[in-house]
Amino acid sequence: MRAGLVTMQATAAAQPGSSRAIVAVSDLAFAWARGGFALDVKAFSLAKGRCVLLLGPSGSGKSTFLGLLCGILTPREGRIEILGQDIARLSASRRDAFRAEHIGVIFQMFNLLPYGNVIDNVVLPLSFAPQRRARVAAAGGAEAEARRLLGRLGLPEDVVGGRTVANLSVGQQQRVAAARALIGAPELIVADEPTSALDRDRQAAFLDLLFEQAGEAGATLIMVSHDETLGPRFDDVLRLDQILSPRGSVAA
């Protein structure tokens, strides 16, 4: 990938700093080492309870942006406020704890524990998130809530009962990853191309279930994709494909 600069100024029904903004980013600058592209986000905000699709071609920086929102990556400068907390100012261990407590992540490659069973994978975030764990306990316990979510996401009971995730299909692993992100009702759900391996029918069914479960939890959802046909399903559609490079080169 050649060096380039992505500049984004976008709002999803909230202004940065607004009490309604669950995410507020300002003057963000990030660059990969050794000539990688630079990501420059002037302003971005995300309102509570919205389902937002962030579009952009492969290689445009969508996954990098999500990594910054989750605190997996740290910016060179700027603010990333999640629920009023500037996570860019936190130590690595505090960012990890904040992410576990407040952000459910569906990674593009799922990042499941391959030799763990389905239930163990779903309840894993609760080990690091006391508030999520308390909400699950109040709802009847971790295993019961995991089974409820998996059932709502269409995973058959014979799959849930003891099978390791290494023996699941891609679509089944995807549902496990979604249940793991949703359990304990984190305030923000971040999904990186979660439907890329599905055909149209399964894609539509998965999104229906994801929206339904996020809505029940009162969560805000941001999902990145290169598939523009998904746009009508979301409350807001934003783009990350406005490429600006004062050095005359373009990030793919």
Side-chain angles (χ1 to χ4, degrees):
M1 182 180 297
R2 293 177 293 171
L5 181 68
V6 178
T7 301
M8 180 170 65
Q9 291 183 275
T11 300
Q15 296 299 320
S18 164
S19 61
R20 295 185 60 226
I22 192 170
V23 175
V25 174
S26 57
D27 299 320
L28 181 67
F30 173 85
W32 288 104
R34 300 186 179 183
F37 71 90
L39 192 68
D40 178 22
V41 181
K42 295 302 182 186
F44 173 88
S45 63
L46 183 58
K48 178 178 173 58
R50 306 292 286 181
C51 292
V52 176
L53 179 66
L54 183 61
L55 289 170
S58 296
S60 63
K62 301 185 304 298
S63 294
T64 298
F65 183 60
L66 288 193
L68 288 161
L69 287 187
C70 295
I72 295 170
L73 301 174
T74 54
R76 186 174 65 240
E77 58 187 58
R79 298 181 65 83
I80 306 173
E81 293 186 12
I82 311 292
L83 298 167
Q85 172 67 63
D86 184 1
I87 63 172
R89 299 292 179 266
L90 297 178
S91 66
S93 61
R94 290 182 65 195
R95 284 198 312 274
D96 290 344
F98 185 92
R99 179 172 58 253
E101 191 68 87
H102 300 290
I103 305 173
V105 186
I106 306 176
F107 295 96
Q108 188 170 10
M109 301 306 293
F110 307 145
N111 289 11
L112 300 173
L113 301 176
Y115 299 109
N117 65 35
V118 171
I119 297 295
D120 288 344
N121 270 273
V122 174
V123 304
L124 180 63
L126 304 180
S127 300
F128 313 100
Q131 294 175 38
R132 289 173 72 176
R133 186 165 64 245
R135 287 194 287 268
V136 164
E143 182 169 346
E145 180 62 6
R147 289 180 179 276
R148 184 191 72 82
L149 285 169
L150 292 163
R152 297 293 289 164
L153 288 163
L155 207 63
E157 180 59 34
D158 66 314
V159 173
V160 174
R163 194 181 302 186
T164 62
V165 297
N167 293 317
L168 303 184
S169 70
V170 171
Q172 290 169 337
Q173 289 182 16
Q174 180 193 57
R175 284 161 170 76
V176 175
R180 181 184 60 186
L182 290 163
I183 196 167
E187 293 91 337
L188 179 64
I189 305 295
V190 171
D192 190 359
E193 299 270 14
T195 63
S196 59
L198 300 180
D199 60 36
R200 287 296 177 189
D201 289 342
R202 291 183 178 180
Q203 185 182 82
F206 176 79
L207 287 177
D208 286 342
L209 291 162
L210 184 60
F211 292 151
E212 177 185 327
Q213 293 303 304
E216 285 185 9
T220 300
L221 170 68
I222 180 168
M223 179 177 128
V224 302
S225 180
H226 62 274
D227 187 351
E228 297 192 10
T229 66
L230 300 177
R233 305 291 310 276
F234 288 78
D235 296 325
D236 303 285
V237 179
L238 305 175
R239 296 182 180 275
L240 188 63
D241 59 0
Q242 293 179 306
I243 306 299
L244 171 65
S245 174
R247 293 165 294 190
S249 57
V250 175

